[in-house]
Amino acid sequence: MATKSTTAAKASAAAKASAARAGSAAKAAAGKAGQALKAAQAARAAQATRTNTGAGGSADYDAIVVGGGHNGLVAAAYLARSGARTLVLEARPKTGGAATTEAPWPDAPDFRVTRLSYVMSLLPPSIINDLQLTKHGYKIFPMGPYYQAFPEGGSIKLYADDAKRNHAEVSKWSKKDADAMPRWDAWLAGLADVLGPLLLTVPPNLGSRKPRDLEQTLRLAWRHRGLDVRTIADVTRLMTMSIADLLDDWFESPQVKGALAVNGVIGTWAGPYEPGTAYVMAHHSIGDVGDGHLGNWGFQEGGMGAVADAIAAAARHNGAEIRISAPVSKLIVTYGRASGVELENGQQITAKVVVTSLHPRTAFLDHVGRANLPDDFVTDIEHWKTRSGVVKINLALSELPDFTADPGTNLQEHHTGSVEMAPTMPYIERAFIDAREGRPATRPFSDGVIPTAFDKTLVPEGYHMMSLFTQWVPSDWNEAPHTEELQAYADRMIDCYNEVAPNFKSSIIHADIVGPYQMEHEYGLVGGNIFHGELSLEQLFHMRPAPGFADYRTPVPGLYYASSATHAGGGVCGIPGMQAARAAIADRRAARKTPRRG
Ligand SMILES: Cc1cc2nc3c(=O)[nH]c(=O)nc-3n(C[C@H](O)[C@H](O)[C@H](O)COP(=O)(O)OP(=O)(O)OC[C@H]3O[C@@H](n4cnc5c(N)ncnc54)[C@H](O)[C@@H]3O)c2cc1C
């Protein structure tokens, strides 16, 4: 079967990419002039801070949010709720960013897919409640079990909350592993309880001797004073080990290890044998961020775009204005302080506060400009790692997959959760090695889901939509469309599923293939990284997006940062948006209280 790719190669994209590269060369040229400018700006910054943050300024808006992805919308909703006149500027003709539901086939407009992100897991109850998202359409169907049918025969199902059934399932492959499973679940839950609340913690500025930073560091240490030697050792292991080494310590069966390894490599430019992948697995396993238990993984009715729509509705309800097809080309910095933005059409809009939610390279290097930023910060952003090698394949199906191991095209439990193609760790590792050596994986791995098992709003009655989150293609495939090779890659991925469900290929009526180039040029995901930057150890917590600036503030006063490239980001969790808005609101209140001199 030949799948049909809708991957669009935009002509302007190459020009944009080369402009970004030219920007890098321009840094050197900016050199001394930039330093002088910075000194002058710094000298005037304090004055500007006083005049621009006062309640009675003449700016067009109190706050502008650049980017109408879910984080930008969350920031806008909170800012508007605080009473700020807030404007969201989104480049695309629709909001949502990577949380988007689209109809990619012009000849089949009734078929909608959750085009990039596909499951909810980390949106905290506090945000859902603060923004009354349920009232605005947030509705989650909890996912069914993890399911893998093996090419050599047989299958495994793993349940999020049913130890008894897990024991029976794992016993099919190893009695020893079945007995180890409850201990593993308890171990992981214990660590998630430690790591979860950290997601809502504003990272302290480690190493700084400023009183406020020292106080925050001490507060964090005090909060964790109860941790014992054993727990700290376990956290250290989790942060530094590969998921493969960790699972080898616990389990013996390749099938069970394959099932548990997937979360360690989702969206990651690293195979399961790379250090740090154990943490990625934990990031996806956190069940409570400290303000209530998160729902199990689930599907939003209407696809992930409906999550963004609910947040947009909340923002509008609170008074925010949202403008689409309004690409921002630069941030205006006046006397060292953010004072507004310029759109691609040349229009300038001023505001007392600007929040940007774009990828760090775009937000800082392209929009703020190197001359307005400290050299160390510029270097950190230039070194930001932003690869994934992810390809999203969305399929419209005429019937459900009929697995040899669990026959039938009628809806069954194994269709309702993740329908995986990641049978063993060596299988996953092979896919990564192919890509690291510069070839698309011969046998890619896939985290598949069929949301239409629950959601009847996406496709016409009797049909299904299947979303395959697949890895890997080479990390430089963001530089060119690779249309034909992506097509061949998708066909191989489909063949892998066809080996375990022989009706699969013939059931596909439409296919939509979104590779790294399209992710970068159509959605602004530079490098094709799904989280605006890798979740690697050197880019976590106080290092995200750069040391000294993990508190959602930036080197430019009045500019706040709300993208997934900040702490907790990576996923549709809204935490960066909420934290950036909180920082802006707190600073604005503090500035109002500061008595004016002179
Ligand atoms: C293939 C894929 C699968 C994923 N799967 C999941 C998943 O299942 N679950 C999960 O939780 N997370 C998943 N993620 C990650 C998650 O979707 C992202 O981390 C999250 O959506 C990012 O949100 P954001 O608001 O920070 O940024 P974005 O969604 O990237 O939003 C940024 C917005 O800024 C806009 N913009 C860009 N440039 C400009 C400009 N110059 N002017 C104005 N606006 C501009 C963009 O159009 C975009 O709307 C996935 C991501 C991808 C790509």
Side-chain angles (χ1 to χ4, degrees):
M1 194 221 53
T3 54
K4 184 175 63 162
S5 166
T6 57
T7 306
K10 287 195 173 167
S12 67
K16 243 184 173 177
S18 73
R21 280 192 289 279
S24 196
K27 189 197 167 211
K32 285 190 177 158
Q35 294 300 330
L37 178 66
K38 269 187 254 178
Q41 285 170 338
R44 281 174 290 192
Q47 173 68 23
T49 301
R50 284 199 297 277
T51 52
N52 273 356
T53 54
S58 59
D60 298 326
Y61 289 87
D62 294 324
I64 289 175
V65 178
V66 183
H70 87 285
N71 271 318
L73 295 169
V74 167
Y78 275 97
L79 284 162
R81 199 178 73 145
S82 78
R85 286 172 305 132
T86 304
L87 172 69
V88 179
L89 295 167
E90 165 56 44
R92 299 187 69 228
K94 71 194 289 293
T95 51
T100 181
T101 305
E102 296 176 27
W105 304 291
D107 50 342
D110 294 350
F111 285 81
R112 298 186 308 138
V113 302
T114 186
R115 202 169 193 209
L116 296 174
S117 57
Y118 50 107
V119 284
M120 289 303 292
S121 69
L122 286 171
L123 189 66
S126 54
I127 295 183
I128 297 169
N129 295 334
D130 285 352
L131 304 185
Q132 298 182 291
L133 294 185
T134 311
K135 196 178 98 186
H136 293 295
Y138 181 72
K139 178 180 172 187
I140 301 294
F141 301 105
M143 275 175 86
Y146 168 101
Y147 176 72
Q148 171 73 55
F150 296 103
E152 66 275 21
S155 67
I156 189 169
K157 289 192 212 81
L158 292 176
Y159 300 83
D161 50 8
D162 194 331
K164 206 166 151 203
R165 282 207 281 179
N166 279 348
H167 193 275
E169 283 289 325
V170 175
S171 292
K172 291 196 294 197
W173 301 99
S174 161
K175 175 78 175 62
K176 189 166 162 255
D177 287 356
D179 292 342
M181 203 55 145
R183 289 196 303 280
W184 164 261
D185 283 340
W187 183 79
L188 207 54
L191 287 178
D193 284 348
V194 176
L195 294 173
L198 281 181
L199 282 188
L200 279 179
T201 302
V202 176
N205 190 0
L206 293 181
S208 162
R209 300 217 161 87
K210 285 188 194 152
R212 196 179 83 158
D213 295 332
L214 280 172
E215 186 197 321
Q216 281 183 353
T217 306
L218 288 172
R219 260 181 214 272
L220 184 65
W222 181 251
R223 254 184 31 211
H224 290 91
R225 67 193 181 282
L227 294 185
D228 59 12
V229 171
R230 196 79 217 160
T231 311
I232 288 178
D234 284 341
V235 171
T236 308
R237 286 196 183 100
L238 198 73
M239 300 303 283
T240 55
M241 285 177 83
S242 72
I243 184 66
D245 283 346
L246 184 66
L247 292 174
D248 281 344
D249 285 348
W250 282 84
F251 301 104
E252 61 177 13
S253 145
Q255 290 83 0
V256 174
K257 286 192 270 192
L260 298 175
V262 175
N263 273 349
V265 292
I266 287 284
T268 305
W269 182 249
Y273 293 86
E274 305 277 329
T277 45
Y279 170 75
V280 179
M281 178 272 303
H283 182 86
H284 294 293
S285 308
I286 285 167
D288 190 334
V289 292
D291 66 351
H293 203 82
L294 301 178
N296 281 338
W297 292 61
F299 304 120
Q300 161 72 34
E301 185 175 59
M304 297 295 277
V307 176
D309 289 347
I311 304 170
R316 284 198 188 92
H317 176 80
N318 291 347
E321 184 185 331
I322 300 173
R323 228 180 268 179
I324 53 169
S325 303
V328 168
S329 62
K330 83 174 198 194
L331 188 104
I332 304 168
V333 181
T334 312
Y335 300 128
R337 187 183 165 84
S339 60
V341 299
E342 184 172 308
L343 301 184
E344 269 181 18
N345 66 10
Q347 185 191 356
Q348 295 200 340
I349 310 174
T350 58
K352 296 164 191 165
V353 158
V354 180
V355 177
T356 179
S357 62
L358 309 193
H359 188 283
R361 298 242 173 96
T362 317
F364 297 110
L365 303 186
D366 297 348
H367 285 182
V368 177
R370 288 168 169 80
N372 292 311
L373 295 164
D375 289 342
D376 282 353
F377 183 83
V378 168
T379 306
D380 288 334
I381 301 301
E382 283 174 342
H383 291 173
W384 183 248
K385 300 284 180 289
T386 184
R387 305 155 295 183
S388 274
V390 167
V391 178
K392 184 76 194 306
I393 304 171
N394 302 303
L395 304 171
L397 305 179
S398 59
E399 61 182 358
L400 286 167
D402 183 2
F403 290 97
T404 310
D406 300 276
T409 56
N410 54 318
L411 180 62
Q412 297 170 65
E413 197 182 27
H414 62 268
H415 294 120
T416 62
S418 42
V419 185
E420 304 295 84
M421 182 45 63
T424 63
M425 286 197 301
Y427 177 106
I428 302 171
E429 175 70 359
R430 184 68 252 163
F432 180 61
I433 290 175
D434 283 349
R436 197 169 53 188
E437 290 176 349
R439 303 179 300 276
T442 307
R443 291 176 70 84
F445 93 78
S446 160
D447 186 36
V449 291
I450 309 175
T452 47
F454 303 100
D455 185 352
K456 303 300 168 206
T457 68
L458 290 172
V459 294
E461 176 81 33
Y463 293 89
H464 284 280
M465 193 279 273
M466 186 164 185
S467 145
L468 307 182
F469 179 94
T470 76
Q471 286 170 213
W472 284 265
V473 294
S475 62
D476 61 1
W477 275 28
N478 62 311
E479 291 170 13
H482 292 278
T483 311
E484 279 156 31
E485 290 155 290
L486 277 179
Q487 181 71 61
Y489 168 95
D491 285 343
R492 290 198 299 280
M493 184 77 258
I494 288 162
D495 283 342
C496 292
Y497 274 105
N498 211 61
E499 285 173 20
V500 295
N503 72 331
F504 191 60
K505 218 177 192 177
S506 59
S507 73
I508 297 170
I509 49 177
H510 300 286
D512 166 50
I513 307 163
V514 188
Y517 182 85
Q518 194 174 358
M519 286 184 205
E520 174 165 326
H521 294 99
E522 193 172 324
Y523 295 92
L525 301 167
V526 178
N529 185 275
I530 70 165
F531 296 140
H532 288 194
E534 297 167 34
L535 285 182
S536 47
L537 289 183
E538 81 283 9
Q539 298 192 161
L540 292 181
F541 202 52
H542 66 292
M543 306 288 281
R544 197 167 180 87
F549 297 99
D551 65 351
Y552 309 91
R553 294 175 177 86
T554 73
V556 181
L559 176 66
Y560 298 84
Y561 195 38
S563 111
S564 285
T566 59
H567 172 59
V572 182
C573 67
I575 298 172
M578 177 194 66
Q579 297 285 31
R582 275 188 182 169
I585 293 164
D587 289 355
R588 206 161 163 239
R589 286 190 180 141
R592 278 185 189 147
K593 279 190 198 149
T594 309
R596 292 183 180 212
R597 274 185 253 145

